[in-house]
Every structure is written in C-alpha cells, then in structure tokens.
Amino acid sequence: MKIKVGFGFDVHQLRSNHTFVLGGVKLDHHSGAYGHSDADVLLHAICDALLGAANLRDIGYHFSNTDDRWKGISSLILLQEVVKLLADKGWGIGNIDAMVCLEAPKINPHIPAMKKHIAEAISISEEDISIKATTNEQMGFIGREEGVVAYAVCLIEKV
C-alpha cells in the first residue's frame, strides 16, 4: 500500500462586521476572516495539506485569488474540487487532523458541525476528521484578534 502525508497552513485577516466561516460553519462573531473566497482558513489549510500530499502544488495554484470564478465561493466547493484532483491521480483520503488558532470566538461547540460538513463534502467518515482549537495566549496578531490561523495534516493512500 502506498501512503503519503501532507501539511497545510493558512492565515487570514479578521475584519469587523465581516462574515466568519470556519469549517463550512457560519460563526456568530463581531468580525470574520477576509479573503477572495469565503476565507475559510480551516478548509484552506486542509486543501493545501491534501494537495501537498499528492504533489499537486497548492490552493493558490488551482484557485487563484485573481480569478473571479472563485470570488466569494464556499470553500467546501474548493475542498470538493481538491478531492476530485486527488481522485484523478488515484488517491483517497485516510484522515485529516487540523488545528485552528484564534482568540475568539470559541469554536469547540461548532466542531461537530464542522466535521459533519467536511465529511459530507468529501465523502469520508467524521471519525477520520479531527479538529482542534487553541488560543495564542493574547500574543501577536492572533492575540490582538487581527487574524486567524489554521494548520492541517492528512494521510492519503492509493486506491
């Protein structure tokens, strides 16, 4: 059996009165991540982990922030497109492990919904998706609530 691992990272600015989508879930918060698509930092990190594992470059290569086709698009759609790219090369997803770093809002109550959205979008079990969160202990741009960061690792296997 051939397996590979991938690592992904993403960061977005937080802006007041902007929608905050994380893991495909709209969060109630006074600010939200800003970007070309829906700026879902968690899904972007997962996309990059999957693409990297399959040696398919990165999310910016496939979904340029200068291409109007991706303006405002749900990152769940981008994730589905990434999984199609992997499938075209004969890869399936083993598991995903992700970490989000932000001061607020607390995302623990939303993790089950995030896992559900991701699992449904890419047809894997929720048991194969781990999402964790931490703060930055009020240090740096994350601590000042100026941005949000996500990291993800994945395992893919030849099918």
Side-chain angles (χ1 to χ4, degrees):
M1 174 195 315
K2 177 133 184 171
I3 61 173
K4 290 186 174 187
V5 297
F7 171 75
F9 165 83
D10 197 35
V11 60
H12 281 279
Q13 291 180 21
L14 292 175
R15 292 198 180 169
S16 295
N17 302 313
H18 196 76
T19 302
F20 200 166
V21 180
L22 194 60
V25 175
K26 186 176 176 183
L27 303 177
D28 185 25
H29 195 56
H30 62 82
S31 61
Y34 178 79
H36 186 69
S37 65
D38 64 2
D40 189 326
V41 67
L42 174 59
L43 296 185
H44 293 182
I46 292 170
C47 285
D48 267 345
L50 293 166
L51 289 166
N55 196 23
L56 293 171
R57 303 200 53 177
D58 60 43
I59 192 171
Y61 177 80
H62 294 280
F63 312 106
S64 172
N65 64 4
T66 60
D67 188 334
D68 285 338
R69 289 181 298 166
W70 314 121
K71 181 79 174 154
I73 196 166
S74 167
S75 293
L76 285 167
I77 294 170
L78 301 181
L79 182 59
Q80 289 172 325
E81 292 298 315
V82 165
V83 171
K84 287 178 190 173
L85 291 170
L86 266 68
D88 289 346
K89 298 290 186 180
W91 293 104
I93 300 169
N95 76 303
I96 295 167
D97 185 14
M99 170 71 76
V100 179
C101 188
L102 73 169
E103 294 297 321
K106 297 296 183 194
I107 68 161
N108 193 47
H110 306 286
I111 288 175
M114 292 177 191
K115 289 174 64 170
K116 183 177 188 292
H117 285 294
I118 295 166
E120 288 176 354
I122 61 177
S123 300
I124 67 170
S125 170
E126 291 178 42
E127 293 296 314
D128 294 326
I129 303 167
S130 172
I131 300 171
K132 304 169 301 295
T134 190
T135 68
N136 215 42
E137 300 295 332
Q138 300 178 337
M139 296 182 293
F141 72 90
I142 295 169
R144 292 187 302 271
E145 296 188 43
E146 297 170 358
V148 57
V149 169
Y151 305 90
V153 295
C154 69
L155 178 93
I156 62 172
E157 50 200 0
K158 275 292 185 180
V159 291

